[in-house]
Amino acid sequence: MLHDTTIVMTGATGMVGRPIATELARTNDVWAVGRFGDPEVRAVLEDAGVHTLRADLTDADLPTLPDADFVLNFAVSRTNDWDVDLDANADGLAALMYACRGARAVLHCSTTAVYQRHGHRRFAEGDPLGDNHRGGGAMFETYSISKIAAEAMARSCARRLNLPTTIARLNVPYGDHSGWPVFLLESMLADRPIFVHEDGPSEYQPIHHDDMMATLPALLAAARTPATIVNWAGDEVSSIEDWCGYLGELTGLEPKFVPTVHTLSSATCDLTRMHAPVGHTRTKWQDGLARMARARHPELTAG
């Protein structure tokens, strides 16, 4: 864990950033920067000890940000408006890094969705990038391209500002109350279809919130100029079919799989580069899903 540092963070209201912000605030001075459209979420963060600062990073005039030891960028815009999303994800990151150019390190959270689709290939950091969200049935068609643009901006700012940076390509984050498996469980509860790719199984490497917190300090320590690029995922490969089948065993619910080409295909990654500075993840996916199911629906898992 990080202790006694000042951390400026974006994306603290999101499903990935929010639990990280509140946990870091226990031992650090955490400043969450964002638009805070939902006052209730802002109040929850402040009650957890997170300082909040209202700002739109795409504005020309920004408020003065605190002097940060570390910067964590978990913000992402997914409006499907190309101008909005490119400005927010790329230009907003540039504004953040420039405003915090005296920091010891920056962690920019990217995604394994930047890789070009390639069946069940285990993506390494040097593999070709591409657009795996547009035209494939994904909800957010601007996502892959705008995240690639954000990586390019992070690389540029790291060099020009001499600001040590890690670009972490996150796979499937989840915890007790957030993440893709949560949506799948709720879909099963509502008797909705579970879409899986025809080139099955639909494989990923989910990483639990506990492992994200455990690996975060090492990712910051690995920050360099030029930027360090590393996959950020759980050690175990599993699939949507695996998750839903196991959740069914725990809850008695029956998943209704619908194979289609109009959904996201598998995205697994080579973790050789991550293991060197960061080490291995510890949470088994079955244990993480069991915790999640108990937290979300104890009435279904009491037996």
Side-chain angles (χ1 to χ4, degrees), residues 204-229:
Y204 299 90
Q205 287 165 264
I207 180 168
H208 194 272
H209 166 78
D210 289 354
D211 286 313
M212 292 182 67
M213 291 301 304
T215 54
L216 184 61
L219 289 172
L220 286 167
R224 298 288 186 273
T225 304
T228 299
I229 301 175

Side-chain angles (χ1 to χ4, degrees), residues 47-109:
D47 288 344
V50 178
H51 307 290
T52 61
L53 182 61
R54 189 187 297 275
D56 186 335
L57 293 174
T58 63
D59 288 344
D61 297 318
L62 292 179
T64 300
L65 302 185
D67 292 332
D69 296 300
F70 300 110
V71 178
L72 307 180
N73 182 49
F74 285 94
V76 60
S77 177
R78 295 181 291 192
T79 68
N80 278 340
D81 182 308
W82 285 98
D83 290 337
V84 170
D85 292 346
L86 285 171
D87 283 348
N89 294 325
D91 184 62
L93 174 59
L96 176 69
M97 293 180 72
Y98 183 78
C100 299
R101 57 193 179 277
R104 290 158 55 184
V106 172
L107 173 69
H108 168 61
C109 184

Side-chain angles (χ1 to χ4, degrees), residues 275-294:
H275 287 155
V278 173
H280 295 261
T281 57
R282 296 184 178 182
T283 305
K284 302 293 185 182
W285 67 266
Q286 294 94 335
D287 295 338
L289 291 189
R291 275 181 50 183
M292 181 270 288
R294 288 193 299 268

Side-chain angles (χ1 to χ4, degrees), residues 117 132-133 136-138 180 196-197 202 204 261-266:
R117 295 183 184 189
N132 71 22
H133 267 59
W180 199 353
V196 292
H197 202 275
S202 297
Y204 299 90
V261 294
H262 300 296
T263 191
L264 295 175
S265 57
S266 296

Side-chain angles (χ1 to χ4, degrees), residues 4 17 36 71 208 230 254 256 295 301:
D4 302 319
F36 297 106
V71 178
H208 194 272
V230 60
E254 184 72 25
K256 293 185 176 180
T301 56

